[in-house]
Amino acid sequence: MGFDRARLTAAVIVAAGLGLGPWAGVAEAQYFGRNKVQYENFDFKVLKTQHFDIHYYPEAREAIDQAARMSERWYARFSRIFNHELSGRQTIILYADHPDFEQTTALSGAIDEGTGGVTEAFKRRVILPMAGSLAETDHVLGHELVHAFQFDITSGSRVGGGFPAALAMPLWFIEGMAEYLSLGPVYAHTAMWMLDAARRDELPSFNQLSNPKYFPYRYGHAFWAYVGGRWGDPAVGEILKAAAFTGNVGQAVATVLEINPNDLMADWQASIMTAYEDVLEDTRDAAYYGRVLLSPETGSGYLNIAPAISPDGSQVVYLTEKSQYSIEMFRANAETGEVEKRILKTGLDPHYESLQFINSAGAWHPNGREFVFAGVSKGRPILTIIDSERGRAIEEFKIEEVGEIFNPDFSPDGRYIVFAASAGGLMDLYILDTETGERRRLTDDAYADLQPAWSPDGSRIAFVTDRFSTDLRNLSWGNYRLALIDPETGEIEPVPGFAEGKNINPQWAADGSQLYFI
């Protein structure tokens, strides 16, 4: 999401020194990966709205009307906040899913799994995939359009040297602003980061915000949420323009807000401590977070994610960067955290281009030995069943009708696999018969349906959805809630939960009488 400051120098040198044409100034340029592998030919068409030229292909057609409405809504909001109209029409290149996005020729260099979208610094084009959930697509689209305004506003400034001055501004300033203006002031991930920093007494000063240890998206978001809440959103646009004029973000903050940046940060820190005072005492106790199982101290890597507990509770399969070359799959003792086996060596196996490690986790077969997970191979989604003892694939299913697969789960008898998948930019539930290979679509609408979990008796599937809280007519996004679906009839019923916050990751009790969730 956004642009990569570390790669900017190469892009600028190429553009200025060699004059390689319209692609040379892409801020995501790299030294490698210029000849991308393409598995598909995309037949792009253009949808023209009042301010946008939206490039799409048939696979993304189902969600293009919503994307067009989102774009114009963001334009109206940002043009008001920044008091600025973009110079010329804005181009958006929209892909149906992330594997297709990774094949784009609109950007040079490889695109990693964590990149949600990109905005070119010079031609100002926005390139992004549909995120499955329309709400998340709306967020990413809004985030990237903030960058389009930032680049347009700061182009030609006296401190830019011919380049948009935004490129020289701190990441927390630019990316945090894009997060705030696309998410609003309240976001669970930012709240968790700030609570953790407050618990450890490590809230940064103004000068420390540029230190890489303070993740710019979350800390920048928290900073701008405070500024917007205290001075109003138009102040955000005024500070951006002042920073482009002076070349100094601290001076711009002081000039527009009429407060010393250090005093501003002291007020910000105090507001966070006040907001969390009711929970800080509990969370200062390390036991509040539970016992650490997988960490460098227990022999795992620094990134340990997507854990899945075996049916008997003795083992856990998880993803980690322990090999230092790629995300790979390991099995560990669920009681001690001791690593028992690396069961998937993706660093040595080019068959898997992705394990969907950011948004997905696998699941155990009821026999306690086999394990299913989603991946991407040759640009297309696959489901693989692996023997966790031998580390060898048993079966592989290519699911051609969808773009990405997430969170597969076995039925109690082990014959069927339910999974969430993105098709045409929308997220629905599907069932695979492992004996025949046949697939059946359980849900088919614009609501987001994800994270399915099969009940122990096989009669119901719990899942996460926004169908009870989202108004598609107004593109008004609601919180995720829990629901149950009958795998035979497709009948859906809501599960009681919390009206606020995300109700996610349902897990059944062994007897099927209760659901645990986050």
Side-chain angles (χ1 to χ4, degrees), residues 54-295:
I54 304 178
H55 297 248
Y56 70 98
Y57 51 100
E59 287 80 359
R61 182 65 185 87
E62 192 170 353
I64 193 66
D65 291 336
Q66 289 97 326
R69 291 169 60 196
M70 295 174 196
S71 301
E72 288 295 345
R73 184 168 64 177
W74 283 126
Y75 190 99
R77 171 171 167 75
F78 297 153
S79 61
R80 182 176 66 253
I81 290 174
F82 289 115
N83 191 24
H84 179 85
E85 299 288 335
L86 293 178
S87 56
R89 296 181 61 78
Q90 174 66 45
T91 295
I92 296 175
I93 304 175
L94 190 65
Y95 287 87
D97 50 65
H98 209 281
D100 284 358
F101 170 57
E102 293 174 25
Q103 300 174 53
T104 184
T105 57
L107 299 168
S108 59
I111 297 174
D112 62 51
E113 194 169 329
T115 302
V118 175
T119 303
E120 295 176 303
F122 302 104
K123 293 187 71 68
R124 214 186 60 215
R125 293 179 300 186
V126 168
I127 306 115
L128 78 158
M130 299 293 293
S133 158
L134 285 176
E136 182 57 21
T137 298
D138 195 25
H139 161 221
V140 177
L141 180 59
H143 181 107
E144 299 304 330
L145 287 176
V146 171
H147 288 326
F149 273 86
Q150 290 168 335
F151 293 148
D152 197 58
I153 289 170
T154 64
S155 293
S157 63
R158 66 182 182 86
V159 299
F163 301 110
L167 292 174
M169 296 176 186
L171 281 178
W172 68 263
F173 186 93
I174 293 298
E175 297 292 0
M177 183 185 298
E179 284 289 85
Y180 169 60
L181 293 180
S182 60
L183 286 170
V186 179
Y187 185 54
H189 291 178
T190 296
M192 290 190 290
W193 278 71
M194 295 308 106
L195 172 59
D196 189 57
R199 182 181 64 85
R200 292 180 287 106
D201 295 322
E202 289 190 9
L203 290 168
S205 66
F206 188 83
N207 291 332
Q208 288 176 322
L209 276 174
S210 295
N211 187 320
K213 70 176 287 186
Y214 298 105
F215 186 41
Y217 285 77
R218 303 281 65 87
Y219 285 92
H221 178 212
F223 172 87
W224 287 113
Y226 180 74
V227 169
R230 184 170 171 181
W231 283 276
D233 287 349
V236 176
E238 294 176 21
I239 293 172
L240 174 66
K241 293 176 180 178
F245 180 79
T246 65
N248 185 307
V249 298
Q251 183 179 340
V253 168
T255 299
V256 174
L257 303 183
E258 298 181 342
I259 185 174
N260 183 285
N262 292 326
D263 294 336
L264 169 63
M265 292 303 288
D267 292 346
W268 172 74
Q269 292 178 12
S271 72
I272 290 178
M273 299 302 290
T274 298
Y276 292 131
E277 61 183 355
D278 291 339
V279 295
L280 278 176
E281 285 307 314
D282 289 336
T283 60
R284 288 185 194 279
D285 182 359
Y288 180 88
Y289 293 102
R291 176 173 58 88
V292 175
L293 181 67
L294 303 171
S295 71

Side-chain angles (χ1 to χ4, degrees), residues 299-328:
S300 295
Y302 287 94
L303 179 69
N304 304 292
I305 53 178
I309 301 290
S310 63
D312 66 0
S314 67
Q315 298 175 317
V316 56
V317 167
Y318 65 104
L319 302 177
T320 182
E321 58 18 298
K322 190 176 187 298
S323 69
Q324 298 182 356
Y325 297 104
S326 63
I327 299 293
E328 298 189 322

Side-chain angles (χ1 to χ4, degrees), residues 357-376:
F357 73 94
I358 293 179
N359 295 308
S360 184
W364 289 82
H365 189 283
N367 64 19
R369 178 162 181 153
E370 297 170 15
F371 189 83
V372 63
F373 62 93
V376 176

